[in-house]
Amino acid sequence: MTRVHVFVRGRVQGVGYRAWTADEAAARGLTGFVRNRRDGSVEALLVGDETSVRAMIGAMRSGPPMARVDAIEEDTPASEVLRLAGDGRFEMLPTA
């Protein structure tokens, strides 16, 4: 099981990026969450098999049609981030 904490920067709010991420992640069988950040970025926790997580990160580099991704930062999730992962599905969380 691979767990990657991702921060996406660019024009990623107000363009459907969160909903697109939730749909794409669920279609790939991933669990975790996605949420907007007050700084204008999007944060996601991707949990699943290595191949699916890596494919999702690759897809996130483009995102939905109106998005513009300038950078993606990956990190190992801390325990408090893992607690937000919910009940085994992919969720959209409130802005943090």
Side-chain angles (χ1 to χ4, degrees):
M1 189 69 57
T2 299
R3 296 172 180 91
V4 180
H5 193 198
V6 178
F7 293 90
V8 185
R9 301 192 193 295
R11 189 177 65 221
V12 292
Q13 290 189 14
V15 294
Y17 198 94
R18 278 185 316 147
W20 175 88
T21 299
D23 290 346
E24 287 289 316
R28 296 170 193 274
L30 300 178
T31 60
F33 69 83
V34 62
R35 65 181 172 184
N36 286 338
R37 304 285 303 185
R38 286 189 178 89
D39 67 2
S41 66
V42 168
E43 173 186 16
L45 175 66
L46 308 172
V47 181
D49 67 82
E50 174 91 20
T51 301
S52 296
V53 168
R54 289 290 150 208
M56 183 65 204
I57 293 170
M60 291 174 78
R61 293 188 187 285
S62 298
M66 297 295 290
R68 185 195 75 242
V69 176
D70 295 335
I72 292 184
E73 299 171 25
E74 297 179 37
D75 197 3
T76 303
S79 59
E80 62 269 12
V81 172
L82 290 173
R83 280 195 293 273
L84 295 173
D87 61 359
R89 58 192 170 105
F90 202 89
E91 300 182 74
M92 285 197 301
L93 299 180
T95 299

